[in-house]
Amino acid sequence: MTKIVLVGAGSLQFGTGMLGDIFQSTHLSGAEIVLHDINLAAAERTLHVAQNHISAHDLDHTISATTDLKSALQGARFVVISIEVGDRFALWDLDWKVPQQYGIAQVYGENGGPGGLFHSLRIIPPILDICQQVMDTCPDATVFNYSNPMSRICTTVHRKFPDLEFVGMCHEIVSLERHLAPLLGVDRSEISYRAGGLNHFSVMTDVTYLRDGSSAYDDVRAKAAAYFGSKPGYSEILQASRKTGASIETEGWMDVDLSQIETVRPWSDRWLFKHVLETFGALPITYDSHFGEYIQWAHDCSDHQGILDFYTYYRNFLGKTDPVIEDTLKERVVPIMEALTGAPSYEEAAVNIPNKGYIPNLPDWICVEVPAIVDENGVHGISVDIPAGIRGLLSNQIGIHDMTAEAILNESRDLAVQALLVDPVVTKSKGMDTLVDHMIAEQSPWLDYLK
């Protein structure tokens, strides 16, 4: 029997999505599932939905909910983390808007730039606490992380716990995969692809026609303007949602129904995307909001309306949905669990793991997002051929990730200031120490450990 612990399962969206994937797996039939959350009422809400589903479908899984992480972890084979702390959107607002008030032109505030730093400083310590309990209780378990900022979390965790099997997972890769086949005018089964970089900061490295093994990248470049230039973005999704009063499902696996949208702004959500494709010859896997966080010149060429509308829609979508357990694959972690426990090996499109040479120019210790072969022996990264210019952009992140980890592990306010000043998005020095002090005060108690 496989024991799976979901940490942060009080979130109905995360909890029901993961449970739906687990319940579909014949390989994980009979699994023991423990829902953990610091909010017992929230965990029991997810538990109630799960128990009803198990009963209605005559499943043989056992499931429980608890606030006691140590007991939850006893005998665990897999641990899945998806947590936030405090009022997530109120804190994200601070991450994004306060640095702007101090003169930093960041386009978003979740994973890269100063916003990504403060998000990291806030969320990584509790994740390290969870990992410490895993090491103390079930050190052979594989831990999957869904929390952001993904690459800084994974880098810091591996620095403190080098022997822990810790893999970062993000479904953003489908923002590439769902578009390739229709762009090329082929069935999904007729092509293969790979991508690599940092989480939310990666590009497609190759795409291949399986019929003859030839590259389809030039065809992607040639057809990108006609396809992406007329594709709806979050501005259109938000407008449609406001008009109908109904949300459009945009999270999760593959297809998104946008058939009700008629009018589209050119290259909606993808002005920076377009610039990177035309200038570097590489196709980003995601939108301006995510990709632009890492780049100091992104403010000049990003779709700011699209970014603001994305945030507004994301905030409203999370607050208004009533998630249910569905027989539709939402994430990609269950196939990895299956392969690790004896199912046939396969190639996974994107995992976040220590580099170990998969991307040249980056140190082995930084966690990169690359494809991987998954089998009973573990998750084995695959090297990807990233264009030199994109490798240069990735290299700008080395010092940021290093100093973020050091600031957290040393509980140092001064190292947090240094982490700001090595970030290329930060183009001034005056007031940065005051900015850090301001955020420590505003985000108390989460940043009180920084001395």
Side-chain angles (χ1 to χ4, degrees), residues 176 179-180 182-184 204 216-231 266-268 270 273-278 281-284:
L176 168 67
H179 293 299
L180 285 179
L183 183 153
L184 291 169
M204 185 173 73
Y217 216 139
D218 284 344
D219 289 344
V220 169
R221 294 185 184 99
K223 297 180 178 183
Y227 181 84
F228 289 113
S230 60
K231 204 70 178 172
W267 288 93
S268 183
R270 291 186 172 90
F273 176 108
K274 176 177 182 286
H275 185 67
V276 171
L277 176 62
E278 293 175 347
L283 187 78

Side-chain angles (χ1 to χ4, degrees), residues 9 11 71 85 94 137 173 215 259 264 334 348 351 368 418 441:
S11 164
S71 66
V85 298
L94 293 173
T137 308
I173 188 70
S215 173
S259 58
V264 179
V334 166
E348 167 57 40
V351 295
V368 294
Q418 292 180 35

Side-chain angles (χ1 to χ4, degrees), residues 26-343:
T26 56
H27 196 80
L28 297 176
S29 177
E32 176 187 358
I33 305 163
V34 181
L35 309 177
H36 173 271
D37 201 282
I38 59 174
N39 183 335
L40 182 59
E44 288 180 336
R45 181 183 57 184
T46 304
L47 175 65
H48 179 70
V49 175
Q51 288 173 328
N52 287 342
H53 186 89
I54 289 172
S55 177
H57 294 82
D58 195 26
L59 301 177
D60 60 354
H61 302 79
T62 59
I63 189 164
S64 61
T66 182
T67 59
D68 186 343
L69 183 57
K70 183 176 180 180
S71 66
L73 292 173
Q74 294 288 340
R77 176 65 181 86
F78 299 112
V79 180
V80 185
I81 300 172
S82 181
I83 68 166
E84 278 290 348
V85 298
D87 184 333
R88 66 184 304 186
F89 286 112
L91 291 167
W92 282 2
D93 282 344
L94 293 173
D95 294 339
W96 188 359
K97 305 297 173 57
V98 172
Q100 289 181 339
Q101 189 66 29
Y102 280 81
I104 300 170
Q106 61 175 2
V107 299
Y108 197 50
E110 185 185 7
N111 294 300
L117 171 64
F118 295 118
H119 193 180
S120 299
L121 294 172
R122 187 170 68 247
I123 197 171
I124 293 178
I127 289 178
L128 292 176
D129 290 342
I130 294 167
C131 292
Q132 183 65 67
Q133 294 197 57
V134 171
M135 294 297 292
D136 293 341
T137 308
C138 52
D140 294 328
T142 299
V143 182
F144 299 98
N145 173 67
Y146 275 95
S147 295
N148 282 324
M150 179 66 69
S151 59
R152 299 200 212 199
I153 289 172
C154 294
T155 295
T156 308
V157 167
H158 280 283
R159 182 165 294 189
K160 184 168 184 179
F161 302 108
D163 296 327
L164 178 64
E165 294 296 327
F166 189 91
V167 181
M169 298 296 302
C170 177
H171 59 233
E172 196 67 29
I173 188 70
V174 301
S175 295
L176 168 67
E177 185 173 344
R178 70 165 60 104
H179 293 299
L180 285 179
L183 183 153
L184 291 169
V186 299
D187 188 82
R188 286 176 184 153
S189 64
E190 297 179 55
I191 57 173
S192 66
Y193 76 94
R194 284 178 176 168
L198 299 177
N199 179 245
H200 288 188
F201 194 39
S202 63
V203 298
M204 185 173 73
T205 58
D206 59 77
V207 55
T208 302
Y209 291 118
L210 295 178
R211 63 176 182 265
D212 58 9
S214 63
S215 173
Y217 216 139
D218 284 344
D219 289 344
V220 169
R221 294 185 184 99
K223 297 180 178 183
Y227 181 84
F228 289 113
S230 60
K231 204 70 178 172
Y234 276 92
S235 294
E236 291 74 28
I237 292 171
L238 175 62
Q239 185 178 31
S241 179
R242 284 172 167 167
K243 182 177 181 180
T244 64
S247 297
I248 297 173
E249 173 65 80
T250 61
E251 299 291 299
W253 188 232
M254 290 297 291
D255 296 310
V256 177
D257 182 10
L258 302 176
S259 58
Q260 66 274 51
I261 295 175
E262 298 177 356
T263 303
V264 179
R265 294 181 303 117
W267 288 93
S268 183
D269 280 345
R270 291 186 172 90
W271 297 3
L272 170 65
F273 176 108
K274 176 177 182 286
H275 185 67
V276 171
L277 176 62
E278 293 175 347
T279 305
F280 292 88
L283 187 78
I285 75 160
T286 188
Y287 305 98
D288 289 6
S289 56
H290 290 328
F291 206 83
E293 289 190 276
Y294 297 89
I295 302 174
Q296 62 269 36
W297 41 263
H299 200 270
D300 290 341
C301 55
S302 293
D303 179 6
H304 293 286
Q305 179 182 336
I307 293 170
L308 290 167
D309 289 344
F310 164 71
Y311 184 70
T312 299
Y313 182 78
Y314 187 45
R315 191 169 189 160
N316 292 344
F317 170 75
L318 286 180
K320 292 183 177 179
T321 55
D322 185 20
V324 295
I325 295 173
E326 299 176 298
D327 293 329
T328 302
L329 192 66
K330 295 288 187 179
E331 304 291 351
R332 302 178 343 274
V333 71
V334 166
I336 297 179
M337 293 180 181
E338 292 175 332
L340 290 173
T341 53

